[in-house]
Short mmCIF file of all heavy atoms in Angstrom, two decimals:
data_model
loop_
_atom_site.label_atom_id
_atom_site.label_comp_id
_atom_site.label_asym_id
_atom_site.label_seq_id
_atom_site.Cartn_x
_atom_site.Cartn_y
_atom_site.Cartn_z
N ASP B 195 -78.32 -32.53 -15.03
CA ASP B 195 -79.19 -31.37 -15.06
C ASP B 195 -80.55 -31.72 -14.48
O ASP B 195 -81.26 -32.56 -15.03
CB ASP B 195 -79.34 -30.89 -16.51
CG ASP B 195 -80.01 -29.53 -16.59
OD1 ASP B 195 -80.59 -29.08 -15.57
OD2 ASP B 195 -79.96 -28.93 -17.67
N ARG B 326 -88.05 -30.58 -6.26
CA ARG B 326 -89.34 -29.96 -6.56
C ARG B 326 -89.88 -30.40 -7.91
O ARG B 326 -90.97 -30.00 -8.31
CB ARG B 326 -89.20 -28.45 -6.49
CG ARG B 326 -88.91 -27.99 -5.07
CD ARG B 326 -88.73 -26.51 -4.97
NE ARG B 326 -89.98 -25.85 -5.36
CZ ARG B 326 -90.13 -24.55 -5.50
NH1 ARG B 326 -89.11 -23.76 -5.29
NH2 ARG B 326 -91.28 -24.03 -5.86
N ARG B 393 -78.62 -39.20 2.82
CA ARG B 393 -78.02 -40.44 2.31
C ARG B 393 -78.74 -41.67 2.85
O ARG B 393 -79.07 -42.62 2.13
CB ARG B 393 -76.54 -40.48 2.73
CG ARG B 393 -75.65 -41.18 1.75
CD ARG B 393 -74.20 -40.92 2.14
NE ARG B 393 -73.61 -42.08 2.80
CZ ARG B 393 -73.00 -43.05 2.13
NH1 ARG B 393 -72.91 -43.03 0.83
NH2 ARG B 393 -72.47 -44.07 2.79
N ALA B 482 -42.88 7.74 46.23
CA ALA B 482 -41.96 8.42 45.32
C ALA B 482 -42.70 9.52 44.58
O ALA B 482 -43.82 9.33 44.13
CB ALA B 482 -41.40 7.41 44.32
#
Side-chain angles (χ1 to χ4, degrees):
Chain B
D195 191 346
R326 294 178 63 186
R393 212 169 103 89

